Amino acid sequence: MWPNKQHSLGWVFVSRMIGILCFLIVVVLANILTYYVKSPLYHSGVAFLDLNFWLLLLIAIIIFVADIFGAFPFPLNLPAPVIRAIASVFIIAFVLRIFEWVDTTTGNNIYHYFWLLSFVIVPIVFIIVLLAGYYEIICDLWAKAKLREKSEVVVLGDEAPVQEPPVPKSWEDVGAEFRMMMYELIHRFREELRHR
């Protein structure tokens, strides 16, 4: 799931952790129900879920990390599209396993075709997810730059708008801004966790 830009880092962290916990609860309940449900198809489905448990957990953790990076401001959000693209490869691997399980339960032979097709699909999906992620970051930066330009325009009476010239920043200013940003992120994250 793509994180909503309106949601804060704390909200993303808590909601994704709740999602992972719900997944673990569903797996445990599905295994408990095998003692009461006698359907062979259900047992086969739970066995498939147990067999792919670590793959699903890995996918959830990768998406969780990508969403955490995605909630950070630029430039700390730059790894998010790469991590999401890696997650998309694992998702395709899981979908292929689903087709393999369907073949074993129904006696069809569709997995072979999808396996051959995956050699084309995996790089295409990886590149699309990667480009879409960076496109989203660029659009967000562009929108923020437009807002910043509008706020810097000073209107004096009926005169034409006068734009203040940009002041070049030194490396000390950049370092101070980065430290302040990290402090505000950690402080806001602690405050949100305290209020929840």
Side-chain angles (χ1 to χ4, degrees):
M1 179 187 290
W2 295 77
N4 190 335
K5 290 293 179 184
Q6 296 175 348
H7 292 149
S8 63
L9 179 65
W11 187 92
V12 170
F13 181 82
V14 171
S15 63
R16 300 312 184 262
M17 284 302 294
I18 289 173
I20 291 173
L21 288 174
C22 289
F23 166 69
L24 295 174
I25 290 170
V26 165
V27 171
V28 169
L29 288 177
N31 278 286
I32 291 172
L33 285 175
T34 55
Y35 295 108
Y36 304 102
V37 178
K38 302 301 179 189
S39 168
L41 185 62
Y42 178 78
H43 283 264
S44 174
V46 173
F48 170 77
L49 189 64
D50 290 343
L51 188 65
N52 294 287
F53 172 78
W54 294 110
L55 176 62
L56 288 170
L57 191 62
L58 179 66
I59 291 169
I61 290 170
I62 292 173
I63 293 174
F64 170 70
V65 172
D67 288 346
I68 290 294
F69 274 107
F72 284 124
F74 181 82
L76 297 177
N77 61 353
L78 288 177
V82 177
I83 299 171
R84 283 195 190 101
I86 292 169
S88 70
V89 174
F90 284 102
I91 290 170
I92 292 171
F94 176 68
V95 170
L96 284 173
R97 289 188 178 188
I98 290 175
F99 285 123
E100 186 179 20
W101 175 72
V102 169
D103 277 358
T104 57
T105 54
T106 61
N108 292 328
N109 193 18
I110 58 173
Y111 167 74
H112 179 69
Y113 300 110
F114 282 104
W115 182 77
L116 291 174
L117 198 60
S118 68
F119 290 104
V120 177
I121 293 175
V122 167
I124 291 173
V125 170
F126 183 88
I127 291 169
I128 288 173
V129 172
L130 190 68
L131 292 178
Y134 283 118
Y135 176 75
E136 183 184 7
I137 290 173
I138 290 169
C139 288
D140 189 44
L141 286 175
W142 185 69
K144 286 179 181 174
K146 295 272 283 185
L147 286 173
R148 197 175 301 120
E149 284 176 10
K150 287 180 182 177
S151 66
E152 287 177 356
V153 172
V154 179
V155 179
L156 301 173
D158 293 332
E159 298 177 5
V162 178
Q163 188 168 359
E164 297 176 355
V167 179
K169 294 186 178 183
S170 65
W171 282 109
E172 289 81 16
D173 295 335
V174 173
E177 285 182 7
F178 181 75
R179 285 192 300 273
M180 195 63 181
M181 179 188 69
M182 292 304 293
Y183 170 76
E184 287 177 3
L185 281 173
I186 294 169
H187 182 69
R188 187 178 352 145
F189 183 69
R190 283 194 325 201
E191 286 296 319
E192 287 176 14
L193 286 180
R194 195 174 297 152
H195 291 300
R196 289 183 186 276

PDB file of all heavy atoms in Angstrom, residues 164-181:
ATOM      1  N   GLU A 164      11.538  38.282  -3.621  1.00  0.00           N
ATOM      2  CA  GLU A 164      12.799  38.462  -2.908  1.00  0.00           C
ATOM      3  C   GLU A 164      13.863  37.566  -3.531  1.00  0.00           C
ATOM      4  O   GLU A 164      13.603  36.411  -3.848  1.00  0.00           O
ATOM      5  CB  GLU A 164      12.616  38.107  -1.431  1.00  0.00           C
ATOM      6  CG  GLU A 164      11.626  39.002  -0.720  1.00  0.00           C
ATOM      7  CD  GLU A 164      11.412  38.558   0.717  1.00  0.00           C
ATOM      8  OE1 GLU A 164      11.972  37.510   1.100  1.00  0.00           O
ATOM      9  OE2 GLU A 164      10.695  39.246   1.437  1.00  0.00           O
ATOM     10  N   PRO A 165      15.078  38.073  -3.711  1.00  0.00           N
ATOM     11  CA  PRO A 165      16.131  37.237  -4.318  1.00  0.00           C
ATOM     12  C   PRO A 165      16.548  36.121  -3.356  1.00  0.00           C
ATOM     13  O   PRO A 165      16.597  36.317  -2.142  1.00  0.00           O
ATOM     14  CB  PRO A 165      17.281  38.225  -4.538  1.00  0.00           C
ATOM     15  CG  PRO A 165      17.038  39.329  -3.576  1.00  0.00           C
ATOM     16  CD  PRO A 165      15.542  39.412  -3.398  1.00  0.00           C
ATOM     17  N   PRO A 166      16.817  34.922  -3.893  1.00  0.00           N
ATOM     18  CA  PRO A 166      17.228  33.827  -3.012  1.00  0.00           C
ATOM     19  C   PRO A 166      18.611  34.079  -2.432  1.00  0.00           C
ATOM     20  O   PRO A 166      19.495  34.611  -3.097  1.00  0.00           O
ATOM     21  CB  PRO A 166      17.234  32.606  -3.942  1.00  0.00           C
ATOM     22  CG  PRO A 166      17.402  33.177  -5.314  1.00  0.00           C
ATOM     23  CD  PRO A 166      16.757  34.530  -5.293  1.00  0.00           C
ATOM     24  N   VAL A 167      18.766  33.685  -1.173  1.00  0.00           N
ATOM     25  CA  VAL A 167      20.044  33.852  -0.489  1.00  0.00           C
ATOM     26  C   VAL A 167      20.778  32.515  -0.542  1.00  0.00           C
ATOM     27  O   VAL A 167      20.232  31.492  -0.142  1.00  0.00           O
ATOM     28  CB  VAL A 167      19.813  34.278   0.989  1.00  0.00           C
ATOM     29  CG1 VAL A 167      21.125  34.416   1.709  1.00  0.00           C
ATOM     30  CG2 VAL A 167      19.004  35.554   1.043  1.00  0.00           C
ATOM     31  N   PRO A 168      22.013  32.481  -1.051  1.00  0.00           N
ATOM     32  CA  PRO A 168      22.742  31.209  -1.095  1.00  0.00           C
ATOM     33  C   PRO A 168      23.045  30.705   0.315  1.00  0.00           C
ATOM     34  O   PRO A 168      23.356  31.483   1.211  1.00  0.00           O
ATOM     35  CB  PRO A 168      24.026  31.544  -1.860  1.00  0.00           C
ATOM     36  CG  PRO A 168      24.169  33.024  -1.769  1.00  0.00           C
ATOM     37  CD  PRO A 168      22.780  33.584  -1.605  1.00  0.00           C
ATOM     38  N   LYS A 169      22.941  29.378   0.472  1.00  0.00           N
ATOM     39  CA  LYS A 169      23.156  28.778   1.790  1.00  0.00           C
ATOM     40  C   LYS A 169      24.529  28.130   1.843  1.00  0.00           C
ATOM     41  O   LYS A 169      24.998  27.550   0.876  1.00  0.00           O
ATOM     42  CB  LYS A 169      22.077  27.736   2.078  1.00  0.00           C
ATOM     43  CG  LYS A 169      20.707  28.345   2.207  1.00  0.00           C
ATOM     44  CD  LYS A 169      19.714  27.308   2.635  1.00  0.00           C
ATOM     45  CE  LYS A 169      18.338  27.953   2.805  1.00  0.00           C
ATOM     46  NZ  LYS A 169      17.353  27.026   3.277  1.00  0.00           N
ATOM     47  N   SER A 170      25.143  28.211   3.008  1.00  0.00           N
ATOM     48  CA  SER A 170      26.436  27.563   3.215  1.00  0.00           C
ATOM     49  C   SER A 170      26.206  26.139   3.717  1.00  0.00           C
ATOM     50  O   SER A 170      25.099  25.755   4.077  1.00  0.00           O
ATOM     51  CB  SER A 170      27.252  28.354   4.239  1.00  0.00           C
ATOM     52  OG  SER A 170      26.616  28.299   5.500  1.00  0.00           O
ATOM     53  N   TRP A 171      27.293  25.352   3.747  1.00  0.00           N
ATOM     54  CA  TRP A 171      27.183  23.975   4.228  1.00  0.00           C
ATOM     55  C   TRP A 171      26.819  23.935   5.712  1.00  0.00           C
ATOM     56  O   TRP A 171      26.177  22.993   6.167  1.00  0.00           O
ATOM     57  CB  TRP A 171      28.494  23.229   3.980  1.00  0.00           C
ATOM     58  CG  TRP A 171      28.630  22.806   2.549  1.00  0.00           C
ATOM     59  CD1 TRP A 171      29.480  23.315   1.633  1.00  0.00           C
ATOM     60  CD2 TRP A 171      27.862  21.805   1.876  1.00  0.00           C
ATOM     61  NE1 TRP A 171      29.293  22.698   0.422  1.00  0.00           N
ATOM     62  CE2 TRP A 171      28.311  21.758   0.539  1.00  0.00           C
ATOM     63  CE3 TRP A 171      26.836  20.943   2.265  1.00  0.00           C
ATOM     64  CZ2 TRP A 171      27.781  20.893  -0.398  1.00  0.00           C
ATOM     65  CZ3 TRP A 171      26.307  20.078   1.322  1.00  0.00           C
ATOM     66  CH2 TRP A 171      26.771  20.053   0.011  1.00  0.00           C
ATOM     67  N   GLU A 172      27.210  24.954   6.447  1.00  0.00           N
ATOM     68  CA  GLU A 172      26.837  25.008   7.863  1.00  0.00           C
ATOM     69  C   GLU A 172      25.323  25.163   8.009  1.00  0.00           C
ATOM     70  O   GLU A 172      24.709  24.556   8.888  1.00  0.00           O
ATOM     71  CB  GLU A 172      27.558  26.171   8.573  1.00  0.00           C
ATOM     72  CG  GLU A 172      29.050  25.963   8.764  1.00  0.00           C
ATOM     73  CD  GLU A 172      29.853  26.292   7.515  1.00  0.00           C
ATOM     74  OE1 GLU A 172      29.314  26.953   6.605  1.00  0.00           O
ATOM     75  OE2 GLU A 172      31.025  25.864   7.441  1.00  0.00           O
ATOM     76  N   ASP A 173      24.721  26.013   7.130  1.00  0.00           N
ATOM     77  CA  ASP A 173      23.271  26.180   7.166  1.00  0.00           C
ATOM     78  C   ASP A 173      22.553  24.878   6.825  1.00  0.00           C
ATOM     79  O   ASP A 173      21.552  24.524   7.453  1.00  0.00           O
ATOM     80  CB  ASP A 173      22.836  27.280   6.187  1.00  0.00           C
ATOM     81  CG  ASP A 173      23.370  28.649   6.584  1.00  0.00           C
ATOM     82  OD1 ASP A 173      23.633  28.843   7.787  1.00  0.00           O
ATOM     83  OD2 ASP A 173      23.516  29.515   5.689  1.00  0.00           O
ATOM     84  N   VAL A 174      23.080  24.165   5.815  1.00  0.00           N
ATOM     85  CA  VAL A 174      22.472  22.894   5.426  1.00  0.00           C
ATOM     86  C   VAL A 174      22.566  21.885   6.567  1.00  0.00           C
ATOM     87  O   VAL A 174      21.600  21.176   6.888  1.00  0.00           O
ATOM     88  CB  VAL A 174      23.153  22.343   4.145  1.00  0.00           C
ATOM     89  CG1 VAL A 174      22.659  20.944   3.829  1.00  0.00           C
ATOM     90  CG2 VAL A 174      22.906  23.282   2.969  1.00  0.00           C
ATOM     91  N   GLY A 175      23.747  21.812   7.211  1.00  0.00           N
ATOM     92  CA  GLY A 175      23.904  20.893   8.338  1.00  0.00           C
ATOM     93  C   GLY A 175      22.987  21.241   9.495  1.00  0.00           C
ATOM     94  O   GLY A 175      22.390  20.358  10.128  1.00  0.00           O
ATOM     95  N   ALA A 176      22.834  22.544   9.776  1.00  0.00           N
ATOM     96  CA  ALA A 176      21.944  22.966  10.858  1.00  0.00           C
ATOM     97  C   ALA A 176      20.497  22.629  10.530  1.00  0.00           C
ATOM     98  O   ALA A 176      19.744  22.167  11.398  1.00  0.00           O
ATOM     99  CB  ALA A 176      22.104  24.464  11.108  1.00  0.00           C
ATOM    100  N   GLU A 177      20.094  22.833   9.262  1.00  0.00           N
ATOM    101  CA  GLU A 177      18.720  22.502   8.867  1.00  0.00           C
ATOM    102  C   GLU A 177      18.479  21.000   8.956  1.00  0.00           C
ATOM    103  O   GLU A 177      17.405  20.562   9.373  1.00  0.00           O
ATOM    104  CB  GLU A 177      18.451  22.994   7.444  1.00  0.00           C
ATOM    105  CG  GLU A 177      18.249  24.492   7.349  1.00  0.00           C
ATOM    106  CD  GLU A 177      17.937  24.927   5.929  1.00  0.00           C
ATOM    107  OE1 GLU A 177      17.749  24.049   5.053  1.00  0.00           O
ATOM    108  OE2 GLU A 177      17.874  26.135   5.702  1.00  0.00           O
ATOM    109  N   PHE A 178      19.474  20.199   8.561  1.00  0.00           N
ATOM    110  CA  PHE A 178      19.320  18.745   8.627  1.00  0.00           C
ATOM    111  C   PHE A 178      19.178  18.277  10.079  1.00  0.00           C
ATOM    112  O   PHE A 178      18.328  17.459  10.396  1.00  0.00           O
ATOM    113  CB  PHE A 178      20.520  18.065   7.966  1.00  0.00           C
ATOM    114  CG  PHE A 178      20.433  16.569   7.969  1.00  0.00           C
ATOM    115  CD1 PHE A 178      19.583  15.915   7.091  1.00  0.00           C
ATOM    116  CD2 PHE A 178      21.190  15.813   8.853  1.00  0.00           C
ATOM    117  CE1 PHE A 178      19.490  14.542   7.091  1.00  0.00           C
ATOM    118  CE2 PHE A 178      21.102  14.438   8.868  1.00  0.00           C
ATOM    119  CZ  PHE A 178      20.248  13.810   7.971  1.00  0.00           C
ATOM    120  N   ARG A 179      20.012  18.835  10.975  1.00  0.00           N
ATOM    121  CA  ARG A 179      19.901  18.461  12.395  1.00  0.00           C
ATOM    122  C   ARG A 179      18.538  18.871  12.957  1.00  0.00           C
ATOM    123  O   ARG A 179      17.926  18.130  13.726  1.00  0.00           O
ATOM    124  CB  ARG A 179      21.032  19.114  13.194  1.00  0.00           C
ATOM    125  CG  ARG A 179      22.386  18.467  12.990  1.00  0.00           C
ATOM    126  CD  ARG A 179      23.400  18.946  14.018  1.00  0.00           C
ATOM    127  NE  ARG A 179      23.620  20.383  13.976  1.00  0.00           N
ATOM    128  CZ  ARG A 179      24.486  20.989  13.189  1.00  0.00           C
ATOM    129  NH1 ARG A 179      25.228  20.273  12.374  1.00  0.00           N
ATOM    130  NH2 ARG A 179      24.628  22.301  13.216  1.00  0.00           N
ATOM    131  N   MET A 180      18.064  20.057  12.563  1.00  0.00           N
ATOM    132  CA  MET A 180      16.765  20.525  13.038  1.00  0.00           C
ATOM    133  C   MET A 180      15.632  19.641  12.505  1.00  0.00           C
ATOM    134  O   MET A 180      14.688  19.328  13.231  1.00  0.00           O
ATOM    135  CB  MET A 180      16.556  21.981  12.593  1.00  0.00           C
ATOM    136  CG  MET A 180      15.443  22.674  13.312  1.00  0.00           C
ATOM    137  SD  MET A 180      15.848  22.778  15.059  1.00  0.00           S
ATOM    138  CE  MET A 180      14.404  23.576  15.669  1.00  0.00           C
ATOM    139  N   MET A 181      15.759  19.206  11.236  1.00  0.00           N
ATOM    140  CA  MET A 181      14.742  18.339  10.657  1.00  0.00           C
ATOM    141  C   MET A 181      14.698  16.998  11.389  1.00  0.00           C
ATOM    142  O   MET A 181      13.624  16.486  11.711  1.00  0.00           O
ATOM    143  CB  MET A 181      15.046  18.114   9.180  1.00  0.00           C
ATOM    144  CG  MET A 181      14.059  17.202   8.488  1.00  0.00           C
ATOM    145  SD  MET A 181      14.558  16.775   6.825  1.00  0.00           S
ATOM    146  CE  MET A 181      15.981  15.746   7.151  1.00  0.00           C
TER     147      MET A 181
END
